[in-house]
Amino acid sequence: MALALTQKTGTNDFDQIHFEHMSLPKYDFNDINLESCYFNRQFKYPFYINAMTGGTQKTKEANEKLAKLAKHYGLAMAVGSQKIALENKSVQDTFSVIHDIYPDGFFIGNLSANATYEDVLKASQMIHAQAFQIHLNPVQELAMQEGDRNFKHWKNNIALIAKEIKIPLIVKEVGFGMNEKTIASLINLGVSNIDVSGNGGTNFAKIENARVNRNDGFLEGFGISTVKSLKYSQKYQEKANFIASGGIRSALDIVKSLVLGACAVGLSKFFLETIQLAWDEQIKKVDELISDIKKVMILLNVNNIKDLRNVQYFD
């Protein structure tokens, strides 16, 4: 968590996406409706708190703060990998605390593609999950000295989970993006919610290298941007729902993601930085994000999220 906070987010492919604004807007600020439908649920906003953390007392405190924000805004919230809590019951409360804070919350469980369907059921019960993420992180695992080295069983695991699970299943990358072949394979496995999670934000290969004082940049250059991943997804958007995450820096990046075809945007670092502030400042920061999304939509002559799909962009 600390290493993620220290990484600086600079330019990325979102800077290559441009809009032409309308100098005669046809909507007032109060006409803009941000309601969005994803994970088979209607939400007030097109963004949610994406997977981050859990497993220690410090991360328990972070999850408490994140759940409090989720409750205040009615946001969906994903937790970090629950593997540690399946292996060690003493840290389960670092995840389940979110349900204590927000009993009516829409929570998203999280495990790697190594997980069995039984693991998914246990992790879901732990936080009363209403959706579940399976994360794909081969670059991170291979950068990690103690990481996984066996991957060919992942497809079978995902296919079985997709077949058996009774709540929405999301398969997501962890900041390295997805190419078209990956997207097509996931759809063929029965996955209908895909978080492309491209590069341009937190680099987990860089984090793993920093953990072991490796400074040769091994695997840090791998990755497909969120923008490019969303472009790959466009021919499949009638077959699956796509979520954008990775390198999302602002309201403008959120709108660009939605124009490129995302049904929702998952934010991790934004909320991780936000909970470092006092509560009043947290509210101010999220309110500003919401306001900024509406301002961009006014300039595009769009008053609802669905119609953003029809906005022309240039790159």
Side-chain angles (χ1 to χ4, degrees):
M1 188 169 72
L3 288 171
L5 281 170
T6 60
Q7 282 195 20
K8 295 181 180 180
T9 303
T11 60
N12 62 37
D13 278 4
F14 280 108
D15 297 322
Q16 306 306 314
I17 301 296
H18 303 283
F19 299 129
E20 289 185 352
H21 75 282
M22 304 297 292
S23 297
L24 285 172
K26 63 180 180 180
Y27 296 112
D28 295 334
F29 187 84
N30 289 336
D31 293 329
I32 309 302
N33 181 359
L34 298 185
E35 287 186 6
S36 308
C37 184
Y38 45 96
F39 310 145
N40 300 335
R41 179 73 66 89
Q42 197 77 14
F43 293 97
K44 291 173 64 177
Y45 307 109
F47 59 85
Y48 65 95
I49 301 172
N50 215 349
M52 271 179 273
T53 190
T56 67
Q57 183 58 38
K58 189 170 184 178
T59 57
K60 177 182 179 180
E61 293 169 4
N63 277 334
E64 287 176 337
K65 293 177 180 179
L66 291 167
K68 187 178 178 183
L69 266 181
K71 182 177 181 179
H72 184 83
Y73 288 98
L75 302 176
M77 175 184 168
V79 296
S81 176
Q82 295 170 262
K83 178 182 176 181
I84 188 173
L86 292 182
E87 296 174 344
N88 181 0
K89 291 184 178 180
S90 70
V91 300
Q92 287 188 0
D93 66 324
T94 68
F95 295 94
S96 62
V97 65
I98 63 174
H99 186 262
D100 298 335
I101 298 293
Y102 188 14
D104 297 325
F106 188 102
F107 297 122
I108 304 167
N110 187 328
L111 287 171
S112 80
N114 282 320
T116 65
Y117 179 59
E118 290 72 23
D119 292 333
V120 169
L121 288 178
K122 291 175 183 177
S124 297
Q125 292 166 0
M126 190 187 306
I127 63 167
H128 300 261
Q130 298 190 48
F132 205 89
Q133 284 182 351
I134 295 293
H135 65 261
L136 307 178
N137 63 338
V139 178
Q140 182 185 16
E141 293 291 350
L142 292 169
M144 195 186 312
Q145 284 191 348
E146 72 278 20
D148 293 329
R149 298 294 183 265
N150 299 315
F151 305 102
K152 64 185 181 182
H153 60 291
W154 281 11
K155 283 188 176 182
N156 288 338
N157 285 4
I158 291 170
L160 178 60
I161 293 167
K163 180 181 178 181
E164 298 294 336
I165 198 166
K166 302 300 188 293
I167 56 179
L169 174 67
I170 307 124
V171 174
K172 74 180 294 291
E173 245 286 357
V174 295
F176 295 96
M178 293 187 185
N179 63 16
E180 186 174 342
K181 288 183 178 179
T182 299
I183 290 168
S185 292
L186 289 172
I187 291 172
N188 287 336
L189 293 173
V191 177
S192 57
N193 297 285
I194 299 172
D195 182 348
V196 297
S197 191
N199 69 1
T202 302
N203 186 318
F204 284 95
K206 191 171 184 178
I207 286 177
E208 296 304 334
N209 287 338
R211 285 178 58 226
V212 295
N213 296 316
R214 184 168 180 171
N215 57 15
D216 62 354
F218 181 60
L219 299 184
E220 292 177 19
F222 266 83
I224 303 162
S225 73
T226 302
V227 168
K228 185 173 286 188
S229 298
L230 286 173
K231 288 182 178 180
Y232 285 141
S233 79
Q234 287 174 343
K235 65 188 288 186
Y236 301 97
Q237 287 175 2
E238 291 188 1
K239 297 180 179 180
N241 303 307
F242 289 88
I243 298 101
S245 66
I248 311 291
R249 303 158 299 180
S250 65
L252 185 55
D253 288 348
I254 290 175
V255 174
K256 288 177 179 179
S257 296
L258 298 169
V259 169
L260 287 167
C263 66
V265 176
L267 302 174
S268 297
K269 191 171 184 181
F270 171 86
F271 283 108
L272 188 56
E273 292 174 339
T274 298
I275 62 171
Q276 310 307 311
L277 306 173
W279 176 250
D280 288 349
E281 291 299 311
Q282 292 181 39
I283 298 304
K284 180 179 178 182
K285 187 173 180 179
V286 179
D287 282 351
E288 184 177 70
L289 180 70
I290 293 167
S291 176
D292 286 351
I293 295 171
K294 292 183 177 182
K295 290 174 183 176
V296 175
M297 290 174 65
I298 286 174
L299 292 174
L300 299 179
N301 266 358
V302 174
N303 72 337
N304 65 80
I305 297 300
K306 184 178 180 181
D307 286 349
L308 282 172
R309 295 283 184 98
N310 302 321
V311 170
Q312 187 174 9
Y313 65 89
F314 306 89
D315 54 10

